Amino acid sequence: MKKNFTNDNEIKSEIINLSAILDLPKGTEAFVSDIHGEYDEFAHILRNGSGNTRQKISELFTGRLTEDRQKKFAFLIYYPSEILGQIKKEFTKDVDLEQWYFDVFNELIDMLRYTSIKYTRSKVRKAIKNDFVYITEELLYADQSDLTKRSYYREVMEDIIKLGMADSFIISTCHTIQHLVVDHLHIIGDVYDRGPRPDLIMDHLMNRWGSLDFQWGNHDILWIGSLCGSKLCMANLIRISARYNNLKLLTDTYDIDLSDLKEFAEENYTPLPVFNPRSDTGDEIDSSDSIYDNTVQQAMAIMQFKLEGQAIKRRPDFDMENRMLLHRLSPDRKSIDINGKIYPITNGCFQLVDPDDPYHLTKKEQNIIDDLIRQFIDSPKLRYHMSFMMSNGSMYLKYNGNLLLHGCVPVNDDGTMQKWTVEGKDYSGKSLFDFFEKTLKDGFQNPSVDDGLETDVIWYLWTGKMSPLFGKESMTTFERYYIEDKELHVEHKNAYYSLRKEEWFADELLKEFGLDPDEGHIINGHTPVKRGHTPIMANRKIFVIDGGMSKPYHKTTGIGGYTLLSNSYGFQLVTHEPFTTRAKAIADMTDVVSTKRVIEQSAKRKTVGDTDVGDKLRKQIVELQARLNK
């Protein structure tokens, strides 16, 4: 809102403007979760507006363009540079290419007009590249019924072509359409994980996207926590990066020097089968990389288990003594006593574990940890990305009457809120989320390499049974590495995951967070929806939209994941086919949207006035009216 008004008429004009905006249709919200570093698939979903672009093309051009032409037009909007390169090769005569330019200019302007109908001119202008604002607005708001003007518009288009601006204009207009098809983007956790390029996802969001928010996920916490100074978050992060052949992300993107760690790992560990790295892409891993990943993974796993033991000892409130396992190893390291039962150890690598003091780091291990955590804290690119995620993120979000969170709300078997006592204070439900968020923000603002409460709580967010981002009794990393008995690998889920099918439970959760159970919904990700199960729960009050963008999840779910759209007419659940590669998608023009299902339709079309933005605008109108009455 403009602050410096010079006269009453300016104030009245602003009141008229804000009041008119309240009656515009509500903008489209897109909900995406569990991206897991898969940049190409995520970028494709952004480019196609989670299927919204294709739907609008169908609405606008059915009867004007064939299905094949509509598909080609859609991919021009998704990938303008690449599709332009393909199409231009099809023309042998300049006159034919010129005619194609005229046709596509008109189609793009029609599409832009259709997608911008629910926005103010000011908002549309902000979405247009500065170089083309004047030209685009002239064509966008043209009166085609005026014969005099019609020749003027054709002259504008001819000049765009003559001056060699046609391709740039098309690319710019396609990007504007991409931005306007979705008004606001919700990312419900886990930008980071096993995928190779979460850095490109962050760059894309920071440089090419507008209105968005994050609800932090458990894998995001490892990266934020490492920047806060949590050695345990960092140890887990490096171990998982080695597990998925992704250490280059640390070295090449975030400038983390792993040479001392590599040398130490190769000196003290030999490759073991259970530590063989996995390829998220399915590509074969180079043998030298495999040895590197294998030994680094072993080294970081042992350092992690030692650091965990230290943290658990100093934090009895965490109630995690059952995760201290190194001291339960037999003297020969070939078996372990867990809950009074002896299990054989396979792939053991405990040569640096002191039987008399198993949780003590060797001098070399301590030096490596101290050096690495300092590097993480001092990494400019990592701080750049995490600052953006922190400033636009939260543990949960109340938005337009809905509750957005990544994992779960820890509850007892009867659905009552589980209580966690830390330093003599009790937290449960909403207060538990608020405690974690404040701790995380304080730790991010004041990073420390000391083993203080903040960094320990941040690590607990990754692995603790009362963490809303983990939601399980315990994390069985040790058992999965060293014990073959599958029963010990099971990670028992919080009761939230069985109760979320019940409508009464959804109502209680919404009330806990101060939302109306008759109007609100809960939207979360974190757990892939298995084949044959539904992501719509609790009588359409809870939606689970794990994006399933990591390729191993496709085998579990049978699909490429879900996204959710909320527009002025209601909610649509979008089911995606598994994504292959960007190059294949462009070459074959294969989209990833398989079905769109309306799961809730509003009796009355929602306007801006029905949203949180509408509440803010009404407050501004009241303030302006008060200024008039002075």
Side-chain angles (χ1 to χ4, degrees):
M1 182 179 71
K2 182 180 176 182
K3 298 296 182 183
N4 300 318
F5 297 100
T6 58
N7 56 60
D8 285 356
N9 284 336
E10 287 188 359
I11 296 176
K12 292 175 182 178
S13 294
E14 183 68 4
I15 291 173
I16 292 169
N17 175 49
L18 296 178
S19 299
I21 292 172
L22 290 173
D23 287 328
L24 287 172
K26 168 192 173 297
T28 298
E29 300 169 58
F31 304 80
V32 182
S33 178
D34 298 271
I35 303 162
H36 293 167
E38 299 291 349
Y39 171 68
D40 284 347
E41 183 170 356
F42 175 69
H44 185 83
I45 288 172
L46 286 190
R47 291 169 186 273
N48 74 11
S50 200
N52 209 24
T53 301
R54 189 67 176 85
Q55 180 177 324
K56 289 185 179 297
I57 289 172
S58 179
E59 292 168 356
L60 182 62
F61 291 105
T62 295
R64 292 171 55 187
L65 300 178
T66 65
E67 278 293 319
D68 186 60
R69 281 283 306 279
Q70 288 184 38
K71 182 170 73 171
K72 289 180 179 178
F73 184 59
F75 268 81
L76 175 66
I77 293 173
Y78 304 163
Y79 299 101
S81 299
E82 293 87 343
I83 300 301
L84 271 170
Q86 289 181 11
I87 288 174
K88 288 168 70 175
K89 292 176 183 177
E90 298 174 4
F91 295 102
T92 57
K93 296 180 181 179
D94 289 346
V95 66
D96 293 333
L97 178 60
E98 185 174 321
Q99 181 58 54
W100 180 83
Y101 277 136
F102 276 117
D103 292 342
V104 84
F105 286 169
N106 282 303
E107 290 163 2
L108 283 171
I109 291 299
D110 284 350
M111 182 66 177
L112 179 56
R113 188 179 296 116
Y114 190 62
T115 56
S116 65
I117 198 167
K118 62 173 68 173
Y119 303 122
T120 63
R121 288 195 179 192
S122 172
K123 185 163 186 169
V124 175
R125 185 178 302 122
K126 291 174 183 176
I128 301 170
K129 188 178 179 181
N130 289 337
D131 296 354
F132 295 105
V133 169
Y134 172 75
I135 296 171
T136 304
E137 288 190 332
E138 283 293 294
L139 298 172
L140 184 61
Y141 304 117
D143 181 2
Q144 296 292 344
S145 64
D146 188 327
L147 294 178
T148 306
K149 282 276 190 176
R150 198 179 297 172
S151 62
Y152 162 70
Y153 300 130
R154 182 170 180 84
E155 182 66 32
V156 170
M157 292 183 185
E158 286 178 349
D159 286 344
I160 292 172
I161 297 169
K162 288 176 184 176
L163 294 171
M165 301 169 64
D167 289 0
S168 297
F169 175 71
I170 289 171
I171 293 168
S172 171
T173 307
C174 290
H175 287 164
T176 301
I177 292 168
Q178 289 178 23
H179 287 182
L180 294 177
V181 164
V182 171
D183 184 43
H184 187 90
L185 178 66
H186 303 286
I187 301 174
I188 308 181
D190 280 355
V191 170
Y192 287 76
D193 186 14
R194 64 186 67 180
R197 297 313 302 263
D199 56 309
L200 294 184
I201 294 170
M202 295 302 293
D203 286 339
H204 188 110
L205 293 172
M206 296 173 78
N207 299 323
R208 292 183 54 189
W209 200 258
S211 182
L212 60 80
D213 54 67
F214 300 92
Q215 289 73 61
W216 305 312
N218 52 318
H219 286 279
D220 300 327
I221 291 301
L222 291 183
W223 294 81
I224 297 169
S226 297
L227 202 62
C228 294
S230 168
K231 303 181 188 76
L232 268 167
C233 284
M234 180 193 69
N236 276 276
L237 188 160
I238 296 174
R239 177 182 59 78
I240 293 170
S241 296
R243 181 75 165 161
Y244 293 100
N245 187 228
N246 207 17
L247 291 171
K248 288 181 180 178
L249 175 64
L250 297 176
T251 57
D252 297 357
T253 300
Y254 293 118
D255 293 324
I256 305 297
D257 182 359
L258 299 177
S259 56
D260 286 351
L261 172 61
K262 179 182 180 182
E263 181 182 347
F264 170 81
E266 291 179 345
E267 284 179 359
N268 291 280
Y269 297 93
T270 56
L272 294 170
V274 76
F275 291 96
N276 284 336
R278 302 172 182 177
S279 171
D280 186 58
T281 62
D283 296 335
E284 187 173 343
I285 299 172
D286 180 83
S287 59
S288 60
D289 281 349
S290 181
I291 293 171
Y292 173 32
D293 290 335
N294 191 306
T295 55
V296 165
Q297 195 182 156
Q298 292 181 60
M300 291 313 302
I302 295 301
M303 285 187 260
Q304 173 190 319
F305 298 140
K306 290 181 178 182
L307 290 170
E308 284 178 350
Q310 295 175 24
I312 293 166
K313 282 183 181 178
R314 64 177 173 263
R315 303 294 171 202
D317 286 342
F318 289 5
D319 189 23
M320 292 179 67
E321 287 75 14
N322 67 327
R323 301 317 307 148
M324 295 176 65
L325 297 173
L326 293 180
H327 70 283
R328 298 179 183 178
L329 288 164
S330 62
D332 63 2
R333 302 294 195 267
K334 292 183 178 181
S335 64
I336 188 169
D337 182 341
I338 298 180
N339 297 326
K341 185 176 179 180
I342 305 300
Y343 296 89
I345 290 289
T346 59
N347 294 285
C349 53
F350 305 109
Q351 52 268 35
L352 297 183
V353 177
D354 183 350
D356 297 324
D357 193 359
Y359 301 103
H360 177 72
L361 292 172
T362 68
K363 184 177 180 180
K364 185 61 176 177
E365 286 175 328
Q366 188 68 60
N367 289 340
I368 287 171
I369 290 291
D370 291 344
D371 171 63
L372 287 172
I373 196 63
R374 198 73 255 172
Q375 289 190 61
F376 271 85
I377 291 174
D378 294 339
S379 169
K381 186 71 175 281
L382 184 58
R383 178 156 292 277
Y384 177 63
H385 283 162
M386 293 303 105
S387 294
F388 183 74
M389 183 176 283
M390 288 296 292
S391 61
N392 291 282
S394 55
M395 282 290 297
Y396 68 95
L397 180 66
K398 297 191 290 184
Y399 195 95
N400 289 341
N402 300 311
L403 176 63
L404 284 57
L405 54 92
H406 177 66
C408 72
V409 180
V411 295
N412 298 304
D413 290 343
D414 62 357
T416 56
M417 303 296 148
Q418 273 189 325
K419 183 178 69 174
W420 192 40
T421 303
V422 183
E423 303 272 290
K425 295 183 179 179
D426 295 339
Y427 304 95
S428 63
K430 180 178 177 296
S431 69
L432 180 66
F433 280 76
D434 292 337
F435 167 71
F436 280 125
E437 182 165 330
K438 183 179 186 305
T439 302
L440 196 57
K441 287 183 174 179
D442 288 347
F444 189 79
Q445 290 298 321
N446 303 286
S448 172
V449 297
D450 296 333
D451 298 320
L453 179 63
E454 282 180 354
T455 52
D456 285 346
V457 168
I458 292 169
W459 163 69
Y460 185 89
L461 259 176
W462 160 251
T463 191
K465 65 181 179 182
M466 284 297 294
S467 166
L469 305 184
F470 180 50
K472 298 177 184 179
E473 185 68 23
S474 58
M475 190 175 290
T476 59
T477 306
F478 184 99
E479 292 90 332
R480 289 168 185 260
Y481 276 136
Y482 305 116
I483 302 173
E484 291 185 348
D485 191 328
K486 299 291 186 182
E487 288 187 9
L488 292 185
H489 297 183
V490 177
E491 297 176 343
H492 298 283
K493 294 179 181 178
N494 183 268
Y496 173 92
Y497 293 102
S498 57
L499 292 172
R500 66 182 177 180
K501 301 184 181 81
E502 308 294 335
E503 184 176 5
W504 67 264
F505 180 62
D507 290 345
E508 290 302 311
L509 293 176
L510 289 165
K511 285 188 283 189
E512 170 68 20
F513 284 83
L515 294 169
D516 184 353
D518 293 329
E519 298 290 336
H521 306 83
I522 299 166
I523 304 162
N524 63 252
H526 187 51
T527 52
V529 178
K530 294 182 178 180
R531 194 190 307 264
H533 292 221
T534 176
I536 306 167
M537 303 179 184
N539 193 20
R540 301 175 184 247
K541 289 189 176 181
I542 296 181
F543 307 138
V544 182
I545 57 156
D546 186 308
M549 293 189 195
S550 288
K551 292 176 177 60
Y553 289 177
H554 298 167
K555 296 178 182 178
T556 301
T557 63
I559 60 170
Y562 297 99
T563 55
L564 187 71
L565 293 172
S566 171
N567 57 30
S568 56
Y569 294 105
F571 282 98
Q572 288 182 319
L573 182 72
V574 184
T575 307
H576 297 275
E577 294 288 351
F579 186 79
T580 51
T581 66
R582 173 190 172 108
K584 185 171 176 57
I586 294 170
D588 299 342
M589 292 194 183
T590 51
D591 220 335
V592 295
V593 176
S594 58
T595 59
K596 292 180 74 174
R597 175 182 170 190
V598 176
I599 53 178
E600 185 170 291
Q601 191 157 359
S602 302
K604 174 179 170 289
R605 192 177 189 187
K606 289 190 175 183
T607 66
V608 173
D610 299 317
T611 68
D612 294 347
V613 171
D615 291 340
K616 294 175 183 177
L617 295 181
R618 277 187 286 271
K619 289 179 182 178
Q620 292 177 17
I621 291 171
V622 170
E623 292 171 4
L624 290 171
Q625 289 171 333
R627 292 174 67 171
L628 282 176
N629 296 330
K630 284 184 178 179

